[in-house]
Amino acid sequence: MTALGEIIRGMIRDDGPMPLDRYMALCLGHPEHGYYVTRDPLGAKGDFTTSPEISQIFGELIGVWVAQVWEALGSPRRFALIELGPGRGTLMADMLRVLAKVEACAKAVEVHFVETSPTLRAEQQARVPKATWHHALASLPAQPSIIIANEFFDALPIRQFERKDGRVFERVIGLSGEALEVGLVPSAMELRMRGEGIFEDQSLRVAVAREMADQIATQGGAALVIDYGHVRTAFGDTLQAMHKHRYVPVTEQPGEADITSHVDFEALGRACVVEGAQVAGLMTQGDFLNAMGLEARTEVLSRTIEGEARTNLVAASERLAHPDQMGHLFKVMAVTSAGLAPPYPFGAR
């Protein structure tokens, strides 16, 4: 049992079964033993690899999207480019390299990171030294904003409820002897959806999406949310833990494994509309990247290299966009302030 596992086991002995959102919050953010507090989880030596770490092209194409949105906003003299959960800062560094080619945009941009991990903050500062860091969205500046959230919402804690035989139960972490296990306790939760199965309550994600949308609605701007998930709210258990690039039980290594679940894009979209923003479009990551010029950019870069490096470049682009890899599972949602036309490629005809 990990050090955090021992702490959680003691908490359950004292207080009873623990809701999944509390368990996830401890596993990922415990101040001493939390997963994101104690390590850099990315890359071959970590537990998973995100799109910006797969290929520089990913960040470059999003940089092009940012430049387009900045122009659509009227090319403001100052604007905040905000990234939620920026990992190592790789995505922002790649975006800024593109924005540097648009002189007025490069002069106007102010970089803001929303990040709680001290380990990752150090990585980000090494790549993007001229940035401002925030622990939460509440302290973001009052100015036109473009927000990027790549694989951010999937790690925010969720609760799970299960309806079976007409009754609703909450899924919790309890003890079986000395081992942690997932169990059920009766719940007063009312599920408006018909049918039976496991329902994932994403209330915290909805709350953060509302904060994001409020920033956009009040200051003007747009957001790009990229994550793996589903288009419609539905029953299903998508909670998963990842350790050393393999799936493990969520109770196996508390604090040592990444715990995430699929994002409910319909719920996020509704939350954004409530705050006065508008959902400009939703598409698969593959469709988005291909529309933004993935194939052409891959071809240009491939001319400058050869051999194994060229093979790896092409394979990375395929991994990002192919339907059987990340291309279909990952979705891209654009959110804008009222009155702003849907940015390309969401408004393309």
Side-chain angles (χ1 to χ4, degrees), residues 36-331:
Y36 285 114
V37 175
T38 58
R39 75 201 64 224
D40 175 356
L42 299 165
K45 295 182 179 180
D47 297 306
F48 58 90
T49 304
T50 60
S51 295
E53 305 293 334
I54 292 172
S55 174
Q56 69 181 66
I57 299 175
F58 181 82
E60 290 173 347
L61 296 180
I62 295 179
V64 172
W65 188 85
V66 169
Q68 293 175 168
V69 172
W70 171 74
E71 290 182 351
L73 289 170
S75 304
R77 295 183 63 183
R78 306 303 300 171
F79 79 100
L81 178 56
I82 302 159
E83 188 175 358
L84 310 183
R88 291 172 170 168
T90 303
L91 174 56
M92 183 61 73
D94 290 339
M95 289 192 290
L96 292 176
R97 189 170 59 253
V98 170
L99 297 185
K101 299 180 183 299
V102 185
E103 185 177 356
C105 185
K107 289 181 178 179
V109 66
E110 295 179 357
V111 176
H112 294 263
F113 288 140
V114 177
E115 179 61 72
T116 59
S117 167
T119 301
L120 290 175
R121 279 193 178 202
E123 293 266 8
Q124 295 152 17
Q125 190 165 26
R127 290 172 174 81
V128 188
K130 294 182 179 180
T132 301
W133 279 263
H134 306 261
H135 280 281
L137 281 74
S139 61
L140 291 175
Q143 62 186 104
S145 302
I146 300 176
I147 302 175
I148 308 297
N150 178 61
E151 293 194 54
F152 169 74
F153 282 95
D154 65 278
L156 296 182
I158 63 165
R159 296 172 73 183
Q160 285 187 333
F161 297 89
E162 184 171 356
R163 181 194 281 147
K164 61 179 183 179
D165 299 328
R167 300 178 62 195
V168 177
F169 301 86
E170 181 165 8
R171 303 188 87 207
V172 296
I173 302 297
L175 292 175
S176 176
E178 293 298 305
L180 298 175
E181 71 168 7
V182 179
L184 298 174
V185 296
S187 173
M189 177 76 168
E190 293 185 7
L191 299 184
R192 297 181 180 180
M193 298 171 60
R194 295 181 178 179
E196 296 196 338
I198 295 172
F199 173 75
E200 297 184 335
D201 175 46
Q202 306 200 359
S203 295
L204 177 57
R205 298 176 183 182
V206 165
V208 174
R210 291 185 64 171
E211 287 188 86
M212 179 187 74
D214 179 67
Q215 175 75 14
I216 294 167
T218 57
Q219 305 302 326
L224 200 66
V225 178
I226 308 166
D227 227 314
Y228 70 99
H230 42 273
V231 175
R232 302 294 180 195
T233 301
F235 285 110
D237 177 11
T238 69
L239 193 68
Q240 62 186 39
M242 182 76 73
H243 182 67
K244 300 299 182 185
H245 298 271
R246 69 180 183 87
Y247 293 107
V248 297
V250 295
T251 56
E252 185 174 288
Q253 294 176 303
E256 299 291 329
D258 185 38
I259 303 178
T260 62
S261 75
H262 287 210
V263 172
D264 181 346
F265 279 93
E266 182 178 16
L268 295 194
R270 288 196 301 265
C272 291
V273 171
V274 166
E275 293 301 321
Q278 58 187 12
V279 177
L282 176 66
M283 61 177 63
T284 66
Q285 178 171 293
D287 287 344
F288 174 79
L289 294 176
N290 287 326
M292 292 299 298
L294 175 65
E295 183 177 353
R297 182 57 178 156
T298 302
E299 177 60 27
V300 169
L301 286 179
S302 68
R303 294 173 191 160
T304 66
I305 54 179
E306 56 186 28
E308 185 178 359
R310 187 178 189 279
T311 299
N312 291 341
L313 173 68
V314 174
S317 294
E318 183 172 340
R319 181 178 176 185
L320 290 172
H322 195 280
D324 291 337
Q325 298 194 51
M326 299 175 74
H328 182 74
L329 177 61
F330 280 71
K331 310 297 189 302

